[in-house]
Amino acid sequence: MLTGAGISAESGISTFRDSDGLWEQYKVEDVASIEGWYKNPALMTRFYNERRKQLLDVKPNEAHRILAELEKDFDVTVITQNVDNLHERAGSSKIVHLHGELMKVTSSLDPNNPNFIRMLGEDELEVQIGDKAADGSQVRPFIVWFGEAVPEIERAVILTSQADIYLVIGTSLNVYPAAGLLNYVPDEADIYLIDPKPVPWNSGKRFTHIMKGASEGMKELKQYLYKDE
Ligand code: OAD
């Protein structure tokens, strides 16, 4: 399954492209591009410190919880574009974070080297300019920015190509390569989309659109998944 900002909206985290979204308040290139980091690492560090601290004030919602509960009856892998930790906190056990994780930092010289990726503790939410990674470079958020490769996409493609049921929740499908995953869903898989708005769907594959918010949509999805019982 593929999730986007919409699944965390009901927990109080803004989406990016809705009318009250983050990209109305900030310029993407200032806070979410590699050029932005080179230009103003202090601004980027502050922006992600704020977003990381927000995680203390939010909780997983019903949609995250239902997804985690589905593991009782299904082999569920969550591929998420979200950098929050709400899927983990709801209890999902297999999660691929395509765009990185707010609670991790890494080396600014070699960001995808596992030796330098570090989970922050709850008392380390504020990273400073001057904090060093294990290779001695400035610490940076472990976030995939525009202009950077998406190392987890290969794993996500393999997992997607093995799906019997594919669920897409709360993503505007604007950002590639994540949106391109739909091309790898097997033709015989059942595809469900949960989003209160129409979403540009370029894959040509048939899908069932549950036009609701994530929590209500997940309740309805359960009826489809358990219809034979
Ligand atoms: P977007 O903000 O582009 O899209 C959010 C989607 O969630 C839209 O289709 C909304 O209609 C839908 N939505 C809003 N409220 C919802 C609710 N209560 N329940 C379900 N759906 C709801 O967010 P993403 O598609 O996740 O990347 O954005 C993709 C990437 O763009 C992000 O990972 C981020 C951003 O730039 C980076 O920063 C690299």
Side-chain angles (χ1 to χ4, degrees):
M1 95 183 37
L2 175 66
T3 68
I7 194 168
S8 295
E10 289 162 20
S11 292
I13 299 181
S14 299
T15 61
F16 296 96
R17 296 177 182 78
D18 287 303
S19 56
D20 54 352
L22 271 183
W23 296 158
E24 292 292 315
Q25 301 165 46
Y26 297 92
K27 282 196 189 150
V28 184
E29 53 276 25
D30 287 347
V31 297
S33 75
I34 186 65
E35 291 80 12
W37 171 256
Y38 293 141
K39 218 163 69 191
N40 196 342
L43 172 81
M44 297 269 273
T45 298
R46 270 201 310 278
F47 176 77
Y48 289 95
N49 282 347
E50 288 313 311
R51 297 192 61 207
R52 193 177 300 117
K53 282 192 285 182
Q54 189 193 16
L55 294 182
L56 292 180
D57 302 328
V58 298
K59 295 198 299 286
N61 63 53
E62 185 81 19
H64 296 105
R65 281 196 295 274
I66 295 175
L67 263 182
E69 279 165 22
L70 287 178
E71 291 191 11
K72 279 192 278 177
D73 299 302
F74 298 88
D75 180 9
V76 182
T77 303
V78 179
I79 300 168
T80 186
Q81 298 165 85
N82 298 346
V83 296
D84 64 50
N85 55 7
L86 296 178
H87 284 302
E88 284 86 346
R89 284 163 57 192
S92 283
S93 61
K94 288 192 239 164
I95 306 166
V96 178
H97 278 279
L98 283 178
H99 293 162
E101 293 174 68
L102 270 178
M103 286 305 294
K104 290 183 179 171
V105 290
T106 189
S107 150
S108 48
L109 284 181
D110 193 3
N112 295 310
N113 185 330
N115 295 323
F116 305 137
I117 299 168
R118 190 168 78 81
M119 179 76 82
L120 294 169
E122 281 208 2
D123 55 345
E124 300 179 291
L125 301 182
E126 288 229 19
V127 175
Q128 309 294 338
I129 293 294
D131 291 354
K132 300 276 190 274
D135 63 350
S137 71
Q138 171 63 44
V139 148
R140 61 163 268 184
F142 181 58
I143 301 283
V144 176
W145 288 318
F146 288 101
E148 296 193 294
V150 183
E152 287 287 53
I153 196 68
E154 286 178 26
R155 201 149 70 95
V157 164
I158 293 168
L159 289 161
T160 298
S161 67
Q162 295 166 344
D164 302 315
I165 301 171
Y166 205 74
L167 176 57
V168 180
I169 311 173
T171 171
S172 64
L173 297 175
N174 263 294
V175 174
Y176 284 79
L181 284 173
L182 296 180
N183 296 321
Y184 296 92
V185 181
D187 286 341
E188 56 282 7
D190 292 330
I191 308 179
Y192 297 94
L193 168 69
I194 300 179
D195 200 300
K197 293 194 197 144
V199 169
W201 188 270
N202 299 321
S203 89
K205 295 190 164 67
R206 287 164 55 90
F207 63 99
T208 303
H209 189 172
I210 302 176
M211 244 192 187
K212 291 187 172 167
S215 298
E216 285 308 307
M218 282 304 293
K219 286 184 203 158
E220 185 168 326
L221 177 82
K222 271 194 348 190
Q223 292 169 9
Y224 288 105
L225 297 182
Y226 292 101
K227 65 178 181 302
D228 298 331
E229 291 185 1

